């Protein structure tokens, strides 16, 4: 109890962000002093429930000693399953509540808001039915009869002593009238959990008698120095102009001016009365990421946030953002030159070389010796030379790892799932809330999240607003209805709608403070603009091949985007027959992780900005890609061919067309490709109503595709006389496509009506299913968190099963892909390139009767692959059964953490295999191809 209370005090003083402390302090009469005392006291009494028969009976020897002092109790066996009615957290909550009522005159309605931090310190606040059941079994709290008075006396004396020791005895009377907001209850619960975990770590706080030689202060000092948590970031608001701020935080070319969107974002962030939600809608390439980071610094200084979480749609985009985040941090005041914690938050973060390097230089967590602690206290940064800890650096701290603690690091880049988990009823949810409550949250690619994910996102935004957490939302553009939903969710007001903005207002910045009303700013777009001529193109390989022959006659680089991997591979096969395999590149999600990363690097090297590469093909080249080409990659093509898709995504795809200036008037491009053109295919354009191909309908739905086609009609019919002008036409197209007004010719309307009915059924189904495990709304101040995560999902993390809870996706299988040679030996894939340290990764031995080397195991784990939807449902069960036949005991457990519990897919020497009735073929050029087993792999 002493240890946990002392740790809570240190966490409050040295680790909690100012904004979190300020929120708790605001609920109490004497502000910060009361808040600190309350946190320390709750941590100190959190295990009072162990002073009960239900808990003490577990160890016979100790129980007998207690009996000799009048504390009678049944044996654990005699008590039977009833013991489970009184887990020590719940028992402690009840005891503390009784003590407040009996010793300090509290009314029962006021105790729960304080005692729930004790009841929920193992991750799940008790439910009302559990509390009632315990009251009906008082013998679990105190043995009936004369011994009951002894039990009560001991419990009361312990609680009296804690109140005096932790400085709250004189404050309890003043707290009787307090109504703690539910966000404050959550934060206090989380702080108790963290304090308990640290104080319960025997490496930091050795058990008796190992630590008996130290007094309390020495014990605490040694433990805190051994834990060595990086301190909290305290941002200072910069007085620099927006131009000067950007020049100092980012590598701007000499003489470069920041864009109007960036300047307006900084001005609005500074002008807001209170930091809140800022939505930035601007075209691709306007520097929204840099704008978000600049705003995050301003918001952090004004709100007391102690870090930043940058949420992205996928692991790939998270990996791409992580080095950019690190570069920014190296220039950020209060971080550069200091020791701060950083994390990459997704399930494969350990395979990221940037993050792995940070983990490698973080020391282990262990208490230091008494003399060492004393010297560290006077010269705390002298000992890192021997323990490999740097004084001023970014570290992936060893204690701040694992799916429940990782988000507590100060600076995090990761998948949006990590944020959505804060809206999922799950165990230790309070820790996730503590993690986001102390940060500025940046949500990228907000247009990429469907109805199911938006149900969780909106609920999370409502809690973030109640925590007064600043949030920056980035999007190419949002439907007006979605923008309104985001503002209302965060502000907590149904009337907080943004100022009415015409559909052609773009770029657009919308801001709202918690509980406030929204305001808008309309910065000018940058001088860059592109006119894209749209044309229909008949679907089919011959039509596409003929047109590309014509367009690329003088050379040039074309991007063909298909909506399904199957169409990518079919298209690539046909184009290679006509243009040669060396002139066609494939990119989609069906590559193992290392090949996917190599593919992205190759695309950037060949088609990136002109100032960053000189390897652009001089002849004709075609990239056939899936939706992976829509996001994050800064690639530039001369011609775009795209399957019909939702209009906002088509505009994203157009952002890869003439993205950079290549000579005056694009003169460095082939003559016929100096005008930006997008050929829209993937539909039967000859039908009365366009008929999108089946795969596209399965991915996006008929209604969204038809409305996209309808709003594009004037541009498709207008030819070069009616191009899509970027960015001018972005907002009008998106607002029309996602609005309620009818679009398209009259003879389309019946088909539109049927498609809309199906769309609404699907949307309602998504909403209903998402709501099952969604966290409730923020309750009234003073209402205890009892049942806060009742009927939840239990533990959750960033595994496929965890992500499936906040994404509307069917279960799928992930496998580690290796090769089986003709002699039966397993090896890593033969074409892998050396790592950044020039170590060979191809063909490394993976012995089946021994534990692979750490490097070989890590390399194999880096070749994970998610199998496509053919392997879901009943087929998944069959696939798992077949994959589990290749089981290597030596690969399991702590001996090989990289491969433990992984399903292994072994390809033969031709990189083929069969699984669950399907033939699988893999190549580094095409990725995974799946066909029915009766169909021979091509």
């Amino acid at each position: 109890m002493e240890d946990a209370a002392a740790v809570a005090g240190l966490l409050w003083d040295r680790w909690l962000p100012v904004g979190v402390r300020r929120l708790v302090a605001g609920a109490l009469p004497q502000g910060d002093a009361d808040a600190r005392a309350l946190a320390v006291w709750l941590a100190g009494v959190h295990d009072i429930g162990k002073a009960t028969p239900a808990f003490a009976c577990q160890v016979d020897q100790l129980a007998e000693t207690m009996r000799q002092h009048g504390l009678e109790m049944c044996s654990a066996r005699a008590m039977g399953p009833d013991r489970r009615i009184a887990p020590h957290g719940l028992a402690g909550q009840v005891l503390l509540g009784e003590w407040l009522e009996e010793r300090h005159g509290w009314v029962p309605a006021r105790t729960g808001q304080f005692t729930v931090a004790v009841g929920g310190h193992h991750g799940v606040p008790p439910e009302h039915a559990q509390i009632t059941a315990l009251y009906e079994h008082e013998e679990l709290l105190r043995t009936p009869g004369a011994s009951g008075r002894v039990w009560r006396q001991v419990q009361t004396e312990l609680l009296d002593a804690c109140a005096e020791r932790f400085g709250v005895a004189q404050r309890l009377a003043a707290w009787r009238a307090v109504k703690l907001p539910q966000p404050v209850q959550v934060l206090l619960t989380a702080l108790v959990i963290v304090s308990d975990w640290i104080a319960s770590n025997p490496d930091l706080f050795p058990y008796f008698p190992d630590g008996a030689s130290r007094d309390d202060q020495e014990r605490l000092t040694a433990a805190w120095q051994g834990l060595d948590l990086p301190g909290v970031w305290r941002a200072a608001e910069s007085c620099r102009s927006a131009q000067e701020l950007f020049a100092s935080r980012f590598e701007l070319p000499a003489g470069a001016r920041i864009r109007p969107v960036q300047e307006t974002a900084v001005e609005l962030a500074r002008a807001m009365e209170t930091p809140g939600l800022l939505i930035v809608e601007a075209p691709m390439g306007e520097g929204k990421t840099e704008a978000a980071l600049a705003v995050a610094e301003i918001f952090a200084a004004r709100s007391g946030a102690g870090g930043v979480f940058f949420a992205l749609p996928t692991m790939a985009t998270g990996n791409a953002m992580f080095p950019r985040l690190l570069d920014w941090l190296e220039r950020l005041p209060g971080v550069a030159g200091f020791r701060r914690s950083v994390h990459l938050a997704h399930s494969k973060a350990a395979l990221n070389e940037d993050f792995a390097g940070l983990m490698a230089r973080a020391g282990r967590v262990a208490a230091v010796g008494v003399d060492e602690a004393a010297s560290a206290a006077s010269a705390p940064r002298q000992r890192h030379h021997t323990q490999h800890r740097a004084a001023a650096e970014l570290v992936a701290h060893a204690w701040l790892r694992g799916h429940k603690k990782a988000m507590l690091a100060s600076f995090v880049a990761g998948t949006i799932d990590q944020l959505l988990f804060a809206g999922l009823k799950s165990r230790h949810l309070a820790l996730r809330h503590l993690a986001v409550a102390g940060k500025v949250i940046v949500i990228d690619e907000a247009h990429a999240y469907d109805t199911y994910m938006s149900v969780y996102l909106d609920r999370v935004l409502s809690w973030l607003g109640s925590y007064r957490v600043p949030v920056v939302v980035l999007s190419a553009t949002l439907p007006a209805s979605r923008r309104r939903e985001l503002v209302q969710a965060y502000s907590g007001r149904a009337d907080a709608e943004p100022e009415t903005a015409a559909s052609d207002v773009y770029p657009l910045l919308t801001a709202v403070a918690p509980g406030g009303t929204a305001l808008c700013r309309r910065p000018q777009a940058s001088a860059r603009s592109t006119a894209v001529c749209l044309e229909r193109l008949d679907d089919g390989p011959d039509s596409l091949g003929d047109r590309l022959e014509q367009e690329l006659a003088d050379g040039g680089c074309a991007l063909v985007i298909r909506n399904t991997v199957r169409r990518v591979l079919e298209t690539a096969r046909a184009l290679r027959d006509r243009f040669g395999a060396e002139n066609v590149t494939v990119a989609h999600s069906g590559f193992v992780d290392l090949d996917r990363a190599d593919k992205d690097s190759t695309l950037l090297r060949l088609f990136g900005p002109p100032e960053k590469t000189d390897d652009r093909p001089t002849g004709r080249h075609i990239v056939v890609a899936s939706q992976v080409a829509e996001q994050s990659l800064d690639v530039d093509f001369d011609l775009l061919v795209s399957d019909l898709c939702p209009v906002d995504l088509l505009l994203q795809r157009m952002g890869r067309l003439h993205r950079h200036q290549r000579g005056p008037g694009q003169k460095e491009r082939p003559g016929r490709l100096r005008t930006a053109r997008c050929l829209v295919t993937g539909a039967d354009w000859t039908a009365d109503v366009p008929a999108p191909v089946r795969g596209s309908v399965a991915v996006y739905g008929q209604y969204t595709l038809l409305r996209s086609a309808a709003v594009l009609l004037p541009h498709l019919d207008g030819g070069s006389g009616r191009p899509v002008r970027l960015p001018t036409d972005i907002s009008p197209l998106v607002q029309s496509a996602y609005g309620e007004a009818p679009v398209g010719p009259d003879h389309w309307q019946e088909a539109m009506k049927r498609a809309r009915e199906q769309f609404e059924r699907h949307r309602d189904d998504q909403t209903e299913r998402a709501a099952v495990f969604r966290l409730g709304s923020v309750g009234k101040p003073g209402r205890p968190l009892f049942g806060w995560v009742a009927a939840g999902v239990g533990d959750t993390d960033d595994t496929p099963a965890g992500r499936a809870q906040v994404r509307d996706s069917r279960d799928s299988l992930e496998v580690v892909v290796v090769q089986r040679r003709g002699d039966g030996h397993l090896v890593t894939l033969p074409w892998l390139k050396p790592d950044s340290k020039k170590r060979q990764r191809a063909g490394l031995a993976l012995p089946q009767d021994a534990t692979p080397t750490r490097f070989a195991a890590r390399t194999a784990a880096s070749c994970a692959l998610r199998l496509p939807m053919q392997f879901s449902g009943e087929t998944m069960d069959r696939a798992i059964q077949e994959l589990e036949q290749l089981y290597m005991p030596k690969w399991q457990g702590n001996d090989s953490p990289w491969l433990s519990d992984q399903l292994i897919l072994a390809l033969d020497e031709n990189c083929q295999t069969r699984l669950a009735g399907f033939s699988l073929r893999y190549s580094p050029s095409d990725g995974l191809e799946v066909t029915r087993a009766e169909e021979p792999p091509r």
Side-chain angles (χ1 to χ4, degrees), residues 491-512:
S491 68
R493 292 180 53 170
D495 62 347
E497 296 190 23
E499 302 167 3
T500 303
S503 64
D504 61 349
V505 172
Y506 190 75
L508 178 65
L509 275 63
T510 307
V512 66

Side-chain angles (χ1 to χ4, degrees), residues 186-217:
V186 176
L187 296 176
L188 289 170
T189 301
L191 185 59
V192 170
I193 292 171
V194 175
S195 302
D196 180 31
W197 284 0
I198 293 173
S200 300
N201 186 333
D203 289 333
L204 297 173
F205 292 90
Y207 297 139
F208 182 85
D210 295 342
S213 61
R214 299 174 178 174
D215 63 28
D216 289 346
Q217 187 57 50

Side-chain angles (χ1 to χ4, degrees), residues 828 841 844-847 852-862 898-899:
T828 58
R841 294 189 287 198
L844 299 176
L846 299 168
T853 66
R854 182 175 179 83
F855 182 67
R858 186 178 188 271
T859 299
S862 301
W898 293 109
L899 297 175

Side-chain angles (χ1 to χ4, degrees), residues 34 46 53 60 84 94 126 198 235 249 269 283 291 318 361 386 407 488 520 589 610 641 683 686 832 836 843 855:
D34 267 0
H46 80 278
D60 290 338
R84 287 179 291 200
V94 170
I198 293 173
R249 303 293 186 266
R361 69 192 195 200
T386 58
M407 285 289 291
Q488 291 175 347
C520 297
S589 59
V641 181
T686 64
L832 300 178
S836 58
F855 182 67

Side-chain angles (χ1 to χ4, degrees), residues 573-771:
R573 190 178 302 117
L575 294 179
R576 282 176 177 149
D577 290 342
R578 297 186 65 158
F579 295 89
E582 70 279 5
N583 296 317
V584 178
T585 298
V586 167
H588 56 74
S589 59
F591 286 87
V592 300
D593 294 331
L594 284 178
D595 286 348
R596 172 78 182 275
D598 183 64
K599 187 72 66 172
D600 288 350
S601 297
T602 299
L603 291 176
L604 287 170
R605 178 174 56 81
L606 296 178
F607 308 106
E611 67 273 11
K612 293 185 178 181
T613 179
D614 54 6
D615 289 342
R616 191 177 181 86
T618 54
R620 56 188 186 180
H621 199 98
I622 305 164
V623 174
V624 187
S626 66
Q627 294 89 337
V628 298
E630 287 175 7
Q631 299 172 338
S632 296
L633 289 177
D634 186 4
V635 288
D636 172 28
F637 291 88
D638 304 314
L639 176 70
L640 174 66
V641 181
S642 173
D643 280 348
L644 179 64
C645 62
V647 71
D648 51 332
L649 301 185
L650 185 62
L651 293 167
Q652 282 279 105
R653 296 175 185 186
M654 289 183 194
R656 275 61 189 157
L657 179 62
H658 285 212
R659 186 178 180 92
H660 297 285
Q661 191 72 23
R662 295 190 179 274
Q666 303 286 5
K667 289 186 180 298
E668 293 178 9
R669 301 184 192 271
R672 63 186 305 115
L673 299 178
R674 290 172 188 166
T675 297
R677 274 177 295 152
C678 173
L679 312 179
V680 184
T681 183
D684 180 0
W685 296 110
T686 64
D688 287 343
V689 179
V693 295
R694 187 171 60 180
S696 297
V697 174
V699 173
Y700 298 116
Q702 184 88 358
Y703 182 63
T704 305
L705 294 174
L706 287 181
R707 288 195 68 94
S708 179
V711 300
L712 293 171
L713 268 182
H715 303 283
L716 290 166
D717 290 335
S720 59
R722 188 72 187 276
V724 173
R725 299 190 182 277
L726 305 178
T728 306
D729 289 334
I730 290 178
S731 187
L733 285 171
V734 171
Q735 304 311 326
S736 296
Y738 288 97
E740 297 295 323
V743 291
D746 290 343
H747 68 277
W748 288 23
Q749 297 312 307
E750 185 60 35
M752 284 277 202
K753 180 182 177 182
R754 292 193 301 270
R756 176 166 185 157
E757 290 171 352
Q758 184 178 8
F759 165 77
E760 289 178 343
R761 286 194 299 270
H762 177 66
R763 182 187 59 192
D764 293 345
D765 175 66
Q766 282 191 313
T767 302
E768 184 177 342
R769 286 185 291 108

